[in-house]
Amino acid sequence: MSLKIEEVLAYLNNYFVYAYAPSIFIDCDAGASTISLADTNYIWDDYALDPTINQYIRIEGSRLNDGVFKVTAKDTTSVTVDATLIDEESDEDLDYVNIYELAIPQNLLSIITEMQGWSGTANITSEKLGPHSITYSEPVTIFSQFESRLKRWKKVGWR
């Protein structure tokens, strides 16, 4: 199963936002998987952000590259992420986006890794009434299977 961390965070309605910077002008380079600050007069610190290697960030509001990404490299004006980005280089494609630094608990990351390796099976129950027997099969989703372990991080929302 190809479960993405973003799917689990959306299910939990909890992205574990550590720091947040609205309206940042970015430039995405597809070949290098790089997200750069488009205004060269600014650095990450100017936005009160300090993304670190192996930390997750969330991009929201871009035209083509919204999502949760793991930072694999960083300098003062750009980060390289663990995903293939769609090119947003030209002037008309530059976007003001919201960037969130995420602080996802290590225990949750371990559960997500376990979920990514899970192969689902049906929940089968049988009953026998005299000479008749009935077998029921309930489909088990990955979220129903792990619900008891995930519920401590779930936030109530209006979704």
Side-chain angles (χ1 to χ4, degrees):
M1 173 172 208
S2 179
L3 180 72
K4 296 184 180 189
I5 191 166
E6 186 171 3
E7 293 173 278
V8 177
L9 298 177
Y11 169 78
L12 295 173
N13 193 27
N14 190 350
Y15 285 87
F16 303 93
V17 174
Y18 175 74
Y20 163 70
S23 299
I24 296 177
F25 209 28
I26 66 165
D27 180 8
C28 294
D29 297 326
S33 296
T34 302
I35 301 167
S36 303
L37 298 175
D39 188 339
T40 57
N41 295 321
Y42 291 95
I43 62 173
W44 291 115
D45 289 344
D46 294 330
Y47 295 104
L49 291 177
D50 185 24
T52 60
I53 295 173
N54 292 324
Q55 179 182 22
Y56 288 89
I57 61 171
R58 181 179 181 205
I59 306 295
E60 186 178 71
S62 75
R63 291 186 185 160
L64 305 170
N65 292 297
D66 282 5
V68 174
F69 305 100
K70 187 175 188 177
V71 175
T72 59
K74 174 207 169 195
D75 64 29
T76 58
T77 60
S78 67
V79 292
T80 302
V81 296
D82 66 342
T84 303
L85 299 172
I86 300 170
D87 195 17
E88 289 190 64
E89 280 186 72
S90 63
D91 291 340
E92 66 271 3
D93 286 340
L94 290 173
D95 284 324
Y96 283 104
V97 302
N98 299 323
I99 296 182
Y100 304 85
E101 281 185 56
L102 307 181
I104 303 168
Q106 288 298 316
N107 289 343
L108 178 57
L109 291 173
S110 296
I111 292 171
I112 292 170
T113 299
E114 189 177 332
M115 290 172 78
Q116 290 169 332
W118 182 75
S119 59
T121 58
N123 185 16
I124 299 173
T125 56
S126 297
E127 65 180 330
K128 189 169 185 171
L129 301 169
H132 305 285
S133 67
I134 300 172
T135 302
Y136 305 96
S137 176
E138 281 182 41
V140 177
T141 68
I142 193 162
F143 292 110
S144 65
Q145 181 68 25
F146 286 86
E147 184 175 9
S148 64
R149 294 173 63 195
L150 294 172
K151 70 180 175 182
R152 68 186 272 201
W153 291 293
K154 195 166 189 171
K155 284 189 175 180
V156 176
W158 294 102
R159 294 181 185 188

